[in-house]
Amino acid sequence: MSEAELRAAITRELPGVRADLERLVRIPGIAFDGFDHTQVDRSAEAVAELLRGCGLDTRVVRSGGQPAVIGSRPAPPGAPTVLLYAHHDVQPTGDLALWESDPFEPVERDGRLYGRGAADDKAGIMAHVAALRAFGDALPVGVVLFIEGEEEYGSDSLERLLQEHRDDLAADVIVIADSGNWDIGVPALTTSLRGIVNCFVEVRTAEHAVHSGMFGGLVPDALTALAKLLATLHDDDGTVAVEGLVSPGGAVVDYPEDRLRAEASLLDGVSFVGTGRLTERLWTKPALSILGVDAPRTAEAPNALVPSAKAKLSLRLAPGDEPKSAYAAVKAHLEKYAPWGVQVEVTFEHDGEPCVIDATGPMFDAARDAFRTAWDGVSPVDIGVGGSIPFIATFQEMFPGAAILVTGVEDPHAQAHGPNESLHLGEFARVCLAEALLLRNVANAAA
């Protein structure tokens, strides 16, 4: 199909694609513990119905976790196969009072579609569906759609699913639609992502709480000890101070400071932390954050010295680092710098590999050309992402011969994972066209 024919086909299909996206958004498929997992089952079945409607041989699968959906159509003789990935589960909503509308009732405001999962990642699913519908029976490549059901909860069963269905998922090109674009009007290919190590540190000072007046000034309390210990994790400028972590830097794209402050909702007077280019600090250097602390609530705290306190830490690993050695470095640091001889226990929660993608070769050229056409001559930017998609490293390991293209539908204002998540509808139309053009270009590049 020509570019003009694909543009017309996408325009024709977009109203139905949007309607189906809204139907998906209405399903609260949250894979976290404590939520109704029948909704995740319902979400998987809705996705399976969409893929069957595209003529794909489709089944719902699971391997001890939440349901994924696999749909496939064989390649025409001599044509390559493309694996299209997205996920149908979503993040919890958080505080509903912070939402301007019901998170599971999609609403359009100012050219954006609001709702949990509208961007991350149900729009990724529908971009795949839009491209398939545009081609109809004239699809120039083989396709395998793999739509995961627990990405937001850590993808615990993903590696087992990939192993069990490895032959069915084998492809020449893998498109992972779970990232974002550089800006509205500027597409991007994601070429590096940080890894992750989450752990807990607990400090203990006494067998039980004691009177703060009778013993204060002599006996250390666990909260003060924990605060003092956590303060050693960063230098005065905010740089991570844990020895043994990889910190290569090297990002080359500039991030406008005013834009970054606005996107991060940083308050007036609050400075950035760390050193180096902003994009290095975001993409290619480690970051260590304190996500939470278990301690008495202020409204209920007695005048007593707290005997134990616990914090959750999240380390984002620079590309090139390794989760096990990074965890060992953090654990060693916390044990070394424990003040006043307090007892320290560090426990592991989960980790994920960082990754770097060599985005060169004919399939990446095909992708860049598709993006350039869909965005009316604007070339895509190669970006890093400070967040983590650990399974990309798994795909790299299991399918070493495949070109992995990390794309997405989000923009800097999407607020994925936060309240009022939204999708820019104009950019979504470009994403759908870009994917259709990509499939055509991949077929041409392999001819």
Side-chain angles (χ1 to χ4, degrees):
M1 296 176 69
S2 68
E3 176 190 330
E5 289 171 326
L6 284 176
R7 284 184 181 275
I10 290 294
T11 300
R12 180 191 70 231
E13 297 295 340
L14 274 175
V17 167
R18 174 175 170 177
D20 287 327
L21 172 59
E22 293 185 3
R23 278 191 281 273
L24 291 181
V25 171
R26 291 188 179 99
I27 304 173
I30 301 170
F32 284 62
D33 288 341
F35 290 86
D36 181 4
H37 290 167
T38 64
Q39 296 292 349
V40 186
D41 295 334
R42 181 179 163 216
S43 179
E45 290 297 337
V47 171
E49 181 183 351
L50 290 170
L51 301 193
R52 292 186 186 108
C54 294
L56 274 61
D57 180 14
T58 303
R59 61 198 186 280
V60 176
V61 299
R62 67 173 77 217
S63 184
Q66 298 300 330
V69 185
I70 298 176
S72 60
R73 186 193 293 184
T81 295
V82 181
L83 170 63
L84 304 174
Y85 170 94
H87 63 87
H88 65 88
D89 67 307
V90 299
Q91 282 280 322
T93 61
D95 186 355
L96 290 174
L98 299 177
W99 287 78
E100 295 181 19
S101 54
D102 184 338
F104 295 111
E105 182 52 49
V107 174
E108 181 179 349
R109 295 194 297 271
D110 300 322
R112 304 188 71 96
L113 185 67
Y114 286 81
R116 175 58 89 221
D120 184 17
D121 184 32
K122 292 178 177 179
I125 299 170
M126 293 313 303
H128 297 330
V129 170
L132 297 180
R133 288 179 178 174
F135 281 107
D137 293 334
L139 190 64
V141 295
V143 293
V144 181
L145 270 73
F146 182 79
I147 312 299
E148 190 190 354
E150 58 182 18
E151 191 276 341
E152 300 291 11
Y153 191 54
S155 298
D156 286 345
S157 69
L158 177 63
E159 188 166 353
R160 294 193 300 275
L161 284 169
L162 294 179
Q163 292 284 1
E164 292 169 10
H165 302 279
R166 185 170 189 160
D167 292 343
D168 296 329
L169 298 173
D172 304 286
V173 179
I174 299 173
V175 178
I176 297 176
D178 194 23
S179 187
N181 289 308
W182 178 239
D183 202 353
I184 295 172
V186 184
L189 282 173
T190 297
T191 58
S192 72
L193 299 102
R194 291 192 291 198
I196 187 171
V197 173
N198 276 10
C199 64
F200 301 93
V201 56
E202 184 171 6
V203 168
R204 291 185 292 271
T205 59
E207 293 183 358
H208 56 78
V210 295
H211 195 292
S212 62
M214 298 293 290
F215 295 98
L218 178 68
V219 175
D221 69 87
L223 267 177
T224 299
L226 179 63
K228 188 173 178 65
L229 177 58
L230 296 177
T232 69
L233 294 171
H234 298 85
D235 293 335
D236 289 342
D237 61 13
T239 300
V240 177
V242 176
E243 293 183 5
L245 299 178
V246 172
S247 183
V252 297
V253 178
D254 285 321
Y255 211 128
E257 181 173 335
D258 56 347
R259 173 182 151 188
L260 181 53
R261 292 184 68 90
E263 291 171 10
S265 70
L266 204 61
L267 298 177
D268 290 343
V270 178
S271 62
F272 293 128
V273 296
T275 60
R277 301 179 86 163
L278 298 182
T279 45
E280 289 179 340
R281 286 180 259 176
L282 282 176
W283 300 344
T284 61
K285 288 188 173 185
L288 185 51
S289 303
I290 302 165
L291 300 184
V293 175
D294 291 337
R297 293 166 53 90
T298 56
E300 302 157 4
N303 285 325
L305 302 181
V306 176
S308 66
K310 185 178 182 180
K312 181 176 182 178
L313 311 182
S314 183
L315 171 66
R316 299 290 176 159
L317 281 64
D321 209 342
E322 196 279 323
K324 288 183 175 56
S325 64
Y327 170 67
V330 171
K331 185 173 186 292
H333 179 102
L334 292 167
E335 293 171 345
K336 176 180 178 180
Y337 289 98
W340 309 314
V342 302
Q343 295 180 7
V344 171
E345 182 180 7
V346 182
T347 54
F348 172 84
E349 186 189 40
H350 69 80
D351 63 15
E353 296 276 354
C355 78
V356 177
I357 297 170
D358 179 11
T360 59
M363 297 309 170
F364 292 95
D365 294 340
R368 291 188 175 95
D369 182 66
F371 277 63
R372 193 176 298 110
T373 300
W375 270 266
D376 299 323
V378 178
S379 295
V381 178
D382 285 4
I383 64 171
V385 171
S388 307
I389 309 179
F391 63 78
I392 294 178
T394 305
F395 275 102
Q396 288 178 312
E397 180 180 350
M398 295 188 66
F399 304 106
I404 298 180
L405 309 173
V406 183
T407 67
V409 300
E410 297 173 28
D411 64 80
H413 310 286
Q415 293 186 207
H417 292 207
N420 303 304
E421 176 182 347
S422 67
L423 173 73
H424 189 287
L425 292 169
E427 290 296 281
F428 179 60
R430 293 183 185 275
V431 169
C432 294
L433 175 60
E435 182 150 320
L437 291 166
L438 169 62
L439 296 181
R440 184 198 65 170
N441 290 356
V442 165
N444 292 339

